[in-house]
Amino acid sequence: MYDLVVVGAGPYGLSVAAHAAARGLRLRTFGRSMESWHAMPSGMFLKSEPWASHLSAPEGAYGLDAYTAARGVRAAHGVPLPVDLFASYGDWFARQAVPALDERLIGTVAPAADGFELRTEDGEAVRARTVALAVGVLPFMEVPGPLRELPRRFVTHSSHHGDLDRFAGRDVTVVGAGQAALETATILVEQGAATVRILARADRLHWNTPPPALDRGRWPALRAPHTGLGCGWRNKLYADAPGVFRRLPAATRARIFDSALGPAGAWWLRERFAAVGDVRLGQRITSATVTPDERLRLGVAGPDGSTVLETDHVVAATGFTPAVDRATVLSPVLRASLRTVGGGGAPEVGGLFESSWPGLFLAGLLTAPSYGPSMRFVLGAEYTAGRLVRGVRRRLRAGARGGAVGRPRAGGKAPVAA
């Protein structure tokens, strides 16, 4: 039986595995290295600064700067970093810091005596005393309600696309007002789609401003300090003190989660985005049907009333909802047993990233309603990984003393550790 199985091999899963391996835990890590990052369309860039995009290993080893320097690649403040370069960095990090990454996917995680039983996609049973679930964002894709039941030949999520050249010569509607929507629409135009439009509920587009110089003098730095989430003291709280965020009242955390760091385009995209000529704001899709000639007819409501729009395909760049019922890798028993926070159904997470089921630890987007906006970005892996492994070691010690591992206490859901 393993001490820990890490489910997922993106930035959070690899970082947790690196810390667990350094601590000498009996470890298995499952997942395809940086899979969702490798699947992004060619030509995309990180929105975060390179210095805020390191995966986490003890002593700061295997940082992005070490990878790029060894390859003679510039990774500088204010210079957008290609997503494919970042994905390759994650693969390199895995080779350096994560022993024997198993690229099979895990199909189910279920409770078992003294821990958990996991089943790989090809049916192998793996037993573990603790599990770290770091499955990234793909299980939590959000698609507008009227579009959810339509076939993928008509509707896809922006994260479905490794390339966009299949849309050359076609009419495409991109839904959303954030970076994914704006960059997807821009690349579609650049790759020759016949017509590209943006459809968004927001009444205006927001654009991040270019980052100021890192060394800009004492008083500007005090007024608006740099953080991995942008400048400003509020962002500094989100970036540097997720533990403080977790102790805010639940209603305050929910409000901040819903509103902080809202949809916005990167400053370096704005000039390129000007090529997208059809931007329809304050609009929401009310219905969607397939026409006899295999097009999509959308009912759209806006400030000037309702209209009908026909298009060949909709790309929903509408983000992700971290609800536990979408984490279908967890058995129904586990999903039903987890205590949630706020109204969105996200699992509650304790001070060392343990869920309300003893021995089940969570990392990444699922923890954002508990720990704040930084958990939606690579930046949060640094705060998460070491603390989560500390929680695993504490849980293993408790189990060795006869405490619960992998089962809730009698009488209901287990309490979340402070």
Side-chain angles (χ1 to χ4, degrees), residues 303-315:
D304 299 322
S306 298
T307 58
V308 174
L309 166 68
E310 287 197 5
T311 188
D312 293 323
H313 193 90
V314 172
V315 177

Side-chain angles (χ1 to χ4, degrees), residues 47-49 51-52 77 208-212 214 216 221 223-240 261 267 373-374 377 379:
K47 193 176 181 184
S48 299
E49 292 294 327
W51 51 265
H77 177 72
N208 299 131
T209 56
L214 286 174
R216 56 200 162 109
R223 284 196 298 270
H226 271 295
T227 81
L229 302 177
C231 291
W233 284 101
R234 184 172 297 180
N235 286 340
K236 189 170 180 63
L237 168 65
Y238 303 152
D240 295 352
L261 303 176
W267 61 272
S374 66
F377 299 86
L379 176 73

Side-chain angles (χ1 to χ4, degrees), residues 73-139:
V73 177
R74 186 183 183 202
H77 177 72
V79 179
L81 194 75
V83 163
D84 56 0
L85 176 64
F86 178 72
S88 297
Y89 158 61
D91 293 341
W92 171 82
F93 180 96
R95 293 192 297 271
Q96 307 304 313
V98 180
L101 173 63
D102 190 324
E103 294 213 337
R104 291 177 296 172
L105 301 181
I106 292 294
T108 58
V109 179
D114 297 323
F116 303 87
E117 180 174 284
L118 301 88
R119 290 273 175 179
T120 65
E121 58 188 342
D122 56 0
E124 180 187 348
V126 179
R127 299 290 293 274
R129 296 176 67 194
T130 65
V131 169
L133 191 70
V135 291
V137 299
L138 294 185

